[in-house]
Amino acid sequence: MLAEIAHIGADPRGGYSRPGYGHEDRELREWFGVHAEARGLEVHRDVNGIVWAWWRPRGSAGPAVVTGSHLDSVPGGGGYDGPLGVASALAAVDLLRERGVTPSRPVALAVFPEEEGSRFGLACLGSRLMAGAVAPERALALKDRDGTTLAEALIRDGLDPRHVGMDRESLDGIGCFVELHVEQGRGLIDLGHPIAIGSSILGHGRWRITVDGQGNHAGTTLMADRRDPMVAAARMVVAIREAGRDVPDARATVGRIEPVPGGTNVIASRVSFWLDARHPDDAVTAALVTRIRDSVELIAAEEGCRADVREESLSPTVDFDRSLRAELRAALPGAPELGSGAGHDAGVMAGAIPTGMLFVRNPTGVSHAPEERVEDADAELGAGALADVLASLTGAGPSA
């Protein structure tokens, strides 16, 4: 199944670029819909753009067990981050039917939009809207790099922005959510296991740092006369790295920088860049960002510039539901537990319903890059483990 979508959003620079609520997203949704309908599942798209595929065997009742993931990507991302969980959900349905078992509770497969936040800057946008973790007014006003608001993008994508927001009725009908995902580090390599049960998600946030200076001519402006925000931003990026290194278990990253106007022979007038900060202890994350803010403001002053630091998103550390984790351990005896340094829709949904995760080994230990990998044998083991979990959680019995 993953081979069928290998051409969609292929980035000439390497990897995949598949922003949410756009053309590539639409193609991927159509691929999922074709596969889900071929399996006799009921497919629909909700007001927040989440695609659902329902398996409601005759006689099934009670709150649904949901699995799935996302299909969007970061710029130049790998081919497994998100799609592996979606394809594995479809494969798990096949495996359950091949085993001759039928769920006694409804099963739903979900595809969440804009999980990476690569287009509108807010990660897990679809799940945040559904769970009520972001105000619709704030979400609809978000803009992409071309100045298109989320409200405008939704209209172009066939959705009504007036209806986005917390979906209490759907949440009340879900008993739990289990997301399978490629592991995005070396945890399973070091453990020597192909599959792990998720224990937690590292608290993380994004901050936009804007540095204002004086735009000018690169040839006529003497070095001593400059108020160059690019120089200030460069110093800040290094200071951020040092601040992250000084705090055990912290991560502090700058992966995106945008100068204005961006000319080769122009001293920039403004530079914006984005900080990604993470730590298991939310109080430590807050202290780290405060330290970075102080450093940024000091450097700006030294360079004759002004700096502004604004929070764009913040997700606290998540410990997955203990009862559900116990059920996953019972279904997968011997599987280790592993925390995630990456964010996931499961982390957002954990604030509304019992949530868990499964991770599949990545032999390169590299993610958000073209080198991300999953071996075929491990992918099949992951789908089998997900089928075991779904059978256990739904009380699946012999097929009639």
Side-chain angles (χ1 to χ4, degrees):
M1 284 185 281
L2 292 176
E4 296 171 4
I5 59 173
H7 65 287
I8 301 176
D11 193 313
R13 301 169 298 179
Y16 295 92
S17 294
R18 297 163 166 168
Y21 302 108
H23 174 70
E24 296 86 359
D25 187 45
R26 190 176 304 113
E27 284 191 77
L28 293 164
R29 292 198 312 264
E30 290 172 356
W31 163 83
F32 172 73
V34 167
H35 272 283
E37 289 176 351
R39 289 161 172 77
L41 308 182
E42 304 168 23
V43 180
H44 80 277
R45 193 176 183 214
D46 71 15
V47 294
N48 294 311
I50 302 168
V51 181
W52 298 87
W54 286 89
W55 182 14
R56 294 187 174 97
R58 183 176 300 176
S60 62
V65 174
V66 179
T67 188
S69 192
H70 62 97
L71 292 170
D72 65 304
S73 76
V74 298
Y80 297 87
D81 180 357
L84 178 68
V86 175
S88 296
L90 292 163
V93 171
D94 294 341
L95 288 170
L96 288 176
R97 287 173 168 165
E98 289 172 11
R99 295 173 185 177
V101 296
T102 302
S104 60
R105 292 165 59 183
V107 173
L109 282 54
V111 178
F112 292 94
E114 188 68 350
E115 190 269 353
E116 299 290 3
S118 63
R119 182 174 181 186
F120 291 101
L122 184 60
C124 302
L125 185 52
S127 56
R128 284 181 189 270
L129 285 167
M130 178 182 182
V134 62
E137 297 78 13
R138 180 195 169 198
L140 293 172
L142 294 171
K143 293 183 180 180
D144 65 13
R145 296 187 185 192
D146 297 325
T148 301
T149 65
L150 175 62
E152 293 167 337
L154 292 176
I155 292 171
R156 294 175 188 174
D157 206 31
L159 297 171
D160 189 336
R162 294 175 298 178
H163 300 319
V164 302
M166 187 175 187
D167 190 347
R168 185 73 265 170
E169 182 178 357
S170 293
L171 290 171
D172 287 344
I174 298 173
C176 63
F177 172 55
V178 178
E179 180 176 5
L180 180 145
H181 204 279
V182 59
E183 203 230 328
Q184 295 176 274
R186 297 187 53 84
L188 282 168
I189 297 174
D190 295 339
L191 289 170
H193 281 265
I195 308 294
I197 296 166
S199 59
S200 61
I201 293 179
L202 201 66
H204 58 282
R206 298 179 184 182
W207 288 262
R208 177 173 179 157
I209 301 174
T210 304
V211 188
D212 288 299
Q214 176 60 62
N216 217 325
H217 195 292
T220 63
T221 310
L222 298 177
M223 300 303 288
D225 295 336
R226 301 184 178 200
R227 294 190 290 117
D228 189 341
M230 185 69 82
V231 173
R235 290 182 57 193
M236 293 170 187
V237 171
V238 175
I240 286 168
R241 181 190 68 172
E242 297 308 310
R245 282 179 168 179
D246 288 345
V247 179
D249 296 323
R251 285 84 152 158
T253 307
V254 175
R256 175 183 168 194
I257 185 166
E258 295 181 354
V260 176
T264 303
N265 59 347
V266 178
I267 299 169
S269 59
R270 170 179 293 178
V271 174
S272 295
F273 63 95
W274 281 260
L275 163 69
D276 181 303
R278 307 179 187 227
H279 191 275
D281 186 328
D282 299 331
V284 175
T285 302
L288 174 62
V289 173
T290 296
R291 174 182 170 181
I292 290 172
R293 186 191 303 271
D294 291 343
S295 180
V296 161
E297 291 175 351
L298 177 61
I299 292 170
E302 290 174 350
E303 295 292 341
C305 299
R306 299 182 308 277
D308 177 67
V309 181
R310 296 193 180 185
E311 178 187 302
E312 289 197 338
S313 67
L314 183 62
S315 300
T317 292
V318 172
D319 291 310
F320 288 119
D321 185 86
R322 290 188 177 185
S323 177
L324 180 56
R325 281 162 59 188
E327 293 188 71
L328 298 185
R329 288 194 299 270
L332 304 174
E337 292 198 36
L338 188 67
S340 174
H344 304 281
D345 288 308
V348 173
M349 297 299 286
I353 58 175
T355 303
M357 289 194 75
L358 301 179
F359 294 113
V360 179
R361 180 167 50 197
N362 174 355
T364 68
V366 175
S367 188
H368 281 186
E371 293 80 6
E372 179 181 87
R373 285 291 306 278
V374 173
E375 300 293 344
D376 288 350
D378 286 351
E380 299 302 333
L381 287 172
L386 181 60
D388 292 341
V389 165
L390 294 178
S392 176
L393 294 174
T394 60
S399 178

